[in-house]
Amino acid sequence: MINSRKSIAIFTCQVTLGYRRHFCEAVNQAVIDQGYNAVFYNFYGVVGSKHSDYSDYEYKLLEVIPFDKFDGIIFDEEAITIDGMVEKLVAKIKEKATCPVISVSSYMKGFYNLCFDDVAGIDLIVKHMYDHHGCRRIGFMSGPMWHKDGVKRYHAFKATMKALGLPEEGEGIFEGDFWYNKAGEAVDFFTSDGKELPEVIICANDYMAMALCQELKRRGHRIPEDILVTGFDGIEDGQLYIPRLTTIDRRRDDTAVQAVAMIDNIIKGQEYPEITYIPPRLISGDSCGCTKADLTVEIERLNTNAEQSISVHYYLGDIIGATLKMNIVESISELERSFADYAVNFGGYRSFCVMTYVDENGKTSIEKGMSAPTHKVYPSILVDRYGDYKGVERNIISTDDFLPTESVDEPRIVYVTSMHCGDRCFGYSSISMTGTGAFNEFYYVWIATLAVAMESLLRHNNIGELITNLEYTSIRDGLTGLYNRRGFELRSDEAAKCMKKGSTACAMVIDMDGLKRINDRYGHAEGDIAIKNLADIIGTVFKDKAIAGRTGGDEFYVFVPECTEDTAAIFKKQFYFLLSDINNNLDKPYELSASFGTFVHEITPAYNVEELLRIADERMYAEKQQKRAHRT
């Protein structure tokens, strides 16, 4: 686990989106101040607005997370939008974690909870409209009633209206979607049957408030001159929007700092209740008239946005070029170099690592396709920009260790992401940032590009292995595993060309005696066994010293480069010794026998491999004839 320091795990989704970036950066600063490491398990979730196929398989990462190795866990349930992920994650945490767990966005039974006080927040903004602006005709755009925050804020609005002596429903309550999609329906609702617009519409979150402002302006209503609009949650987009939203700050930065402090204090023995509430804070903005846009500030913001647009254009060009490059690499080392060379536009980082799963045979997920994680991993990609892994060897490690241990011992900010392509599991990536900031959105493009490149590399490796296997079968004898005739000719010619000038080589021809008799009496299956036994003797005698092949039904060729007459005699003696040994030890109704011919000569144009074999074959045949004459 990273180094010897204590580590806090943070489970969230899309850390670059909205409030989560600021929340993560606040956590980062707090853990560094306390001397901890921060390890973010950053799930990506749905790609765009439609494609869930990436998020469908992110849950597999849960199988290898070492929950019991962390000293604290921060759980951001609200951020995780993947169907079923919250339930799976909570079950794993409760089963395996032994550290304090802080839920920071919603109440989770069995955890410590840092809960924002939604009821107090709704009460604060309604009373601000009532007391400061004198509003009495107040409408409410709630969240969806299937969402627990939507229900909570709905009831809080009615309670505050009743406490102020106003109708609980106000000028009407419209059920929104916590997103941008129902603004038109909401305006229709509040103006139906010729009704006058409310003095203010309070929205249960900022996204709906921004959409409502846009729709009201489209229909000719001025904000705040004709109607006031407020949001809730205090997201960054709402403060960049014109008119800048009046809203309720959920104080996520304070929540982040307090969560880290709670973990540290609990480790030191301090006790906390199950729920600690975070009080709300009002953000006064232009949408209720409390503030007015500063033209100088807005111009500067537009200039900044223009500069960012130019940067995005260049970044996209870099990524397109890198994508083309990374998808034609032929090895994981090339992929590593490509990432190191091109991946520079998502923020400053110290190191980047891809841990690939390793199977029981030592093959990585880039060499063999895997549909499920294993419990061994290997750092197939390791880009070390600051020497954090200086002197550290790349080894297969257990997923309990999760990452290679750095050679330095400083607080680290690490983001971990699942690496997969469809249901294909490759492993997980980790990136260590240089400061407290998170990476930008382009990092996700790199991760997706890497995953596709790894899929391409896996297919390339599979094709290469298939070709190798086909080549193997094309030059090998299926029964004995020795070379076939084609393979023997290719390899012996190659060996002859590599010999030192003036040295001698030996050609040998070995022919089994009595194969027809064995086949006729005991069957062809027993004949095959006899051939295999003879081939095993040849393989034992000449292993790594010669090129041996089965070139006919019962005939074998051997070519020994750099061989003298004495060496050839030793080989022949070893062969007959093993032949005698196998006959003494095998319980067979027949005796294994073979005839052996050798010829040693310098390789020349007149005495090539083929000529040496011809002479050896003649000598083998002569030996066979002598055996027949002796039997007669």
Side-chain angles (χ1 to χ4, degrees), residues 184 294 445 521 562:
D294 185 327
V445 181
R521 288 189 181 183
E562 315 291 344

Side-chain angles (χ1 to χ4, degrees), residues 351-418:
S351 62
F352 175 80
C353 183
V354 174
M355 303 297 293
T356 51
Y357 296 125
V358 178
D359 71 6
E360 65 278 4
N361 298 315
K363 287 189 173 292
T364 70
S365 53
I366 302 173
E367 299 170 291
K368 178 183 177 181
M370 300 181 187
S371 59
T374 66
H375 290 283
K376 297 288 184 182
V377 283
Y378 177 76
S380 292
I381 294 178
L382 182 57
V383 180
D384 183 13
R385 302 176 75 197
Y386 284 76
D388 294 339
Y389 292 98
K390 186 176 181 180
V392 176
E393 294 185 3
R394 297 197 197 189
N395 294 312
I396 295 173
I397 62 172
S398 166
T399 52
D400 286 343
D401 297 322
F402 210 71
L403 293 170
T405 302
E406 290 188 3
S407 55
V408 293
D409 196 31
E410 299 174 0
R412 288 286 178 257
I413 309 298
V414 177
Y415 296 87
V416 177
T417 307
S418 171

Side-chain angles (χ1 to χ4, degrees), residues 45-47 50-58 420-423:
V46 176
V47 179
K50 298 179 180 179
H51 304 290
S52 66
D53 45 350
Y54 189 84
S55 63
D56 285 344
Y57 301 100
E58 288 192 272
H420 61 276
C421 190
D423 65 345

Side-chain angles (χ1 to χ4, degrees), residues 80 85 91 98 132 141 161 163 176 217 227 252 259 274 320 338 345 350 382 388 412 433 483 542 548:
I80 298 173
M85 177 67 85
T98 58
H132 188 75
M141 187 172 181
M161 292 292 284
K217 287 189 291 184
I227 183 172
R252 294 189 179 277
E274 185 184 24
I320 292 170
S338 295
N345 57 14
R350 302 187 64 86
L382 182 57
D388 294 339
R412 288 286 178 257
M433 302 304 289
Y483 287 112
F542 297 104

Side-chain angles (χ1 to χ4, degrees), residues 17-67:
L17 183 63
Y19 73 84
R20 294 168 203 156
R21 173 182 292 278
H22 300 293
F23 175 78
C24 292
E25 291 172 352
V27 167
N28 293 343
Q29 187 61 61
V31 296
I32 287 176
D33 291 343
Q34 297 281 5
Y36 289 92
N37 299 313
V39 181
F40 286 85
Y41 287 94
N42 171 47
F43 302 101
Y44 188 79
V46 176
V47 179
S49 61
K50 298 179 180 179
H51 304 290
S52 66
D53 45 350
Y54 189 84
S55 63
D56 285 344
Y57 301 100
E58 288 192 272
Y59 73 90
K60 294 184 179 182
L61 182 61
L62 302 185
E63 297 302 317
V64 297
I65 295 174
F67 293 93

Side-chain angles (χ1 to χ4, degrees), residues 545-556:
K545 302 168 187 172
I547 297 159
R550 180 187 178 209
T551 53
D554 55 0
E555 187 174 60
F556 299 85

